[in-house]
Amino acid sequence: MRFDVVTLFPEMIEVPLRTSIIGRAVEAGLISLGIHELRDHGLGRHRSVDDYPYGGGAGMVMRPEPLFAAVEPLRAAGANVILLDPAGERLTDALARELSTLPHLALVCGRYEGIDERIRTLVDREVSIGDYVVTGGELPALVLIDAVARLVSGVIAEASHEGDSFAAGLLEHPQYTRPEEFRGMRVPPVLLSGHHGEVNAWRRREALRRTRDRRPDLLDAAALTDADRAALEEMTRDA
Ligand code: 4HQ
């Protein structure tokens, strides 16, 4: 899979993507990356990429010409073009999985207070990482790339994302490693029992409990079995 990123701050993109799991996937050729500095397409002697808003008001607006110049060749090369923007559709596990089936994404990172509205005609879709405001599209682009790239075959063990909390529609169950006791806190005995059936039943129950306690909205959409409903019923009676 290929990712191209159009940005005013290429170093914000470079360093995270050559680090850790994604860095290794790039080295291994599972993922390829292109980083495109928008300033290269800036206008005039100052290579300007922004200007004052028509109609007045605070803040600057990104001009369309540099963005069109940077993105059109990527579109011509077959990329699906995505603008990171708070007005976009929300990035979810389902959207990450859908995007991971595409061969080529180009991510457009904005800066300043906004973009010229005509830039939206240049993109296939707009994606938001959540209802808060960050100073530029670079961190959202990195979040999207990380969430999508880890689903590309070979980047991580397949089993690691089949069980992802959101894939199952539930939050993850609690996990423990050594030591068996830490500052008086013990690992639940069932996990030490070696009974795989009981371990799996406990994990499912604790995933249900955590989801009910922290994200009941997810529970409504999750595919629950009769056994799940019975377990939830029992928990509600007990505590
Ligand atoms: N932005 N999800 C880029 C965001 C954002 C988000 C605000 C987009 C600033 C320049 N992007 N502009 N949330 O907060 O994607």
Side-chain angles (χ1 to χ4, degrees):
M1 180 164 187
R2 180 171 176 88
F3 296 94
D4 283 282
V5 183
V6 175
T7 174
L8 280 168
F9 297 99
E11 64 274 39
M12 273 189 84
I13 302 296
E14 266 158 31
V15 175
L17 296 184
R18 60 173 145 81
T19 303
S20 188
I21 293 171
I22 305 303
R24 200 205 311 128
V26 172
E27 284 295 300
L30 296 169
I31 284 168
S32 73
L33 266 181
I35 303 179
H36 309 272
E37 188 163 1
L38 188 61
R39 189 71 62 189
D40 294 346
H41 302 281
L43 302 168
R45 194 161 62 80
H46 298 288
R47 297 202 286 164
S48 174
V49 296
D50 63 338
D51 209 335
Y52 299 96
Y54 278 123
M60 301 296 277
V61 175
M62 294 186 86
R63 293 180 60 128
E65 305 94 316
L67 275 163
F68 273 70
V71 172
E72 271 173 343
L74 299 174
R75 170 183 287 299
N80 237 271
V81 182
I82 297 178
L83 173 71
L84 286 306
D85 192 281
E89 64 185 299
R90 189 73 75 80
L91 181 61
T92 59
D93 179 75
L95 180 55
R97 281 172 201 274
E98 180 188 337
L99 297 176
S100 75
T101 68
L102 300 174
H104 187 182
L105 297 181
L107 305 173
V108 179
C109 306
R111 282 272 152 178
Y112 313 109
E113 282 62 39
I115 57 165
D116 185 287
E117 189 63 18
R118 294 165 288 190
I119 290 166
R120 296 188 203 273
T121 66
L122 181 63
V123 308
D124 296 299
R125 62 210 291 182
E126 301 177 24
V127 173
S128 166
I129 62 163
D131 291 343
Y132 45 86
V133 180
V134 294
T135 56
E138 286 78 10
L139 292 169
L142 288 168
V143 168
L144 185 151
I145 292 169
D146 191 280
V148 170
R150 68 186 282 284
L151 299 173
V152 170
S153 184
V155 174
I156 58 173
E158 222 74 13
S160 316
H161 56 75
E162 279 160 11
D164 278 353
S165 54
F166 295 112
L170 299 176
L171 298 180
E172 262 160 31
H173 56 74
Q175 302 203 68
Y176 294 87
T177 185
R178 291 191 289 182
E180 252 183 68
E181 184 182 340
F182 175 70
R183 299 195 177 181
M185 297 176 279
R186 299 203 63 90
V187 175
V190 60
L191 299 180
L192 310 172
S193 69
H195 292 118
H196 288 301
E198 283 178 38
V199 168
N200 288 339
W202 181 86
R203 286 178 170 165
R204 183 74 185 179
R205 212 158 49 239
E206 294 309 312
L208 289 164
R209 185 197 308 281
R210 180 159 287 180
T211 308
R212 179 201 61 175
D213 291 349
R214 302 191 186 189
R215 292 293 306 277
D217 59 307
L218 294 179
L219 218 45
D220 298 332
L224 299 184
T225 64
D226 289 345
D228 290 336
R229 292 184 198 288
L232 280 165
E233 211 19 63
E234 191 178 342
M235 272 176 231
T236 324
R237 277 202 303 275
D238 298 349

